[in-house]
Amino acid sequence: NAGVTQTPKFRVLKTGQSMTLLCAQDMNHEYMYWYRQDPGMGLRLIHYSVGEGTTAKGEVPDGYNVSRLKKQNFLLGLESAAPSQTSVYFCASSTGWAYGYTFGSGTRLTVV
Amino acid sequence: ILNVEQSPQSLHVQEGDSTNFTCSFPSSNFYALHWYRWETAKSPEALFVMTLNGDEKKKGRISATLNTKEGYSYLYIKGSQPEDSATYLCAFKEDNAGNMLTFGGGTRLMVKP
């Protein structure tokens, strides 16, 4: 099993550009999440989804949008990238809150 | 925003030493406490999910305990090996009021051969 796959692994954007990060899981998990990881800040939740067609805001949602059109995919969009969005982005999925999360390998995004 | 704290921030031990570190979380509205192991250049890997006060979990040389009434969990590593070097994260899930898993800042463990 591939588990959780994130694409791309690396990306450099110019301020104001847009992009979409793709997360795909093959474990039939209902719950999917997008986190960002910054030095000294730990993992912070951006958005999450508790099922196909649903999304909700996490701790730091501003500047991001998400969609969950298919159960296996969770997309994270940046409409107008800012240098403050330079970070490592992790996608994760789980069966529910009482179950361990499976993380993807991360996407390193730099906004210049 | 919930306060989930881990201590120490980093720890250096010799191979063969046993060690432990702490995760502190709010003592009210407990739902679940997660522990993850995060090796450099890899993604976090789930170790344990604990849901009941007094829970004890074990996986090989790693074990964890949970005290929800006082709001802490301990992670123990017996006979540390160099391959145990990683950052260990805990994460707290509050009951009902929130829908987020809040992560602590992690404890970075380095085991010297």
Side-chain angles (χ1 to χ4, degrees), chain A residues 77-92:
Chain A
L78 286 74
E79 291 185 346
S80 179
S84 60
Q85 294 178 302
T86 294
S87 187
V88 181
Y89 292 85
F90 285 94
C91 176

Side-chain angles (χ1 to χ4, degrees), chain A residues 33 35 37 41-45 48 57-59 90 96-106, chain B residues 1 31-32 34 36 38 41-46 49 51 89 93 98-105:
Chain A
Y33 322 86
Y35 284 88
Q37 193 249 336
M41 299 293 289
L43 287 165
R44 293 183 293 168
L45 184 66
Y48 65 96
K57 295 180 180 180
E59 183 184 351
F90 285 94
W97 305 115
Y99 300 87
Y101 289 12
T102 301
F103 282 85
S105 57
Chain B
I1 297 175
Y31 186 86
H34 295 215
Y36 291 84
W38 193 357
K42 295 187 178 180
S43 51
E45 176 187 343
V49 178
T51 57
L89 298 174
K93 170 64 176 76
N99 287 307
M100 301 189 298
L101 193 66
T102 302
F103 281 83

Side-chain angles (χ1 to χ4, degrees), chain B:
Chain B
I1 297 175
L2 300 173
N3 194 24
V4 180
E5 294 188 350
Q6 293 187 246
S7 62
Q9 283 189 321
S10 65
L11 191 56
H12 293 252
V13 301
Q14 288 294 137
E15 182 176 355
D17 287 350
S18 292
T19 187
N20 65 86
F21 19 94
T22 306
C23 174
S24 301
F25 50 85
S27 58
S28 58
N29 298 322
F30 178 87
Y31 186 86
L33 192 284
H34 295 215
W35 279 102
Y36 291 84
R37 181 171 179 272
W38 193 357
E39 289 183 75
T40 302
K42 295 187 178 180
S43 51
E45 176 187 343
L47 286 173
F48 308 116
V49 178
M50 309 172 82
T51 57
L52 297 174
N53 185 43
D55 253 356
E56 292 188 21
K57 300 276 188 179
K58 187 175 181 181
K59 187 176 184 178
R61 294 179 290 99
I62 304 176
S63 60
T65 61
L66 179 67
N67 184 324
T68 62
K69 295 186 186 306
E70 296 184 37
Y72 64 84
S73 176
Y74 293 138
L75 190 78
Y76 300 91
I77 301 178
K78 184 178 178 182
S80 302
Q81 299 297 308
E83 58 264 31
D84 295 328
S85 297
T87 296
Y88 292 83
L89 298 174
C90 70
F92 171 75
K93 170 64 176 76
E94 187 180 34
D95 189 23
N96 294 332
N99 287 307
M100 301 189 298
L101 193 66
T102 302
F103 281 83
T107 292
R108 186 178 177 199
L109 174 67
M110 285 154 281
V111 182
K112 299 178 184 176

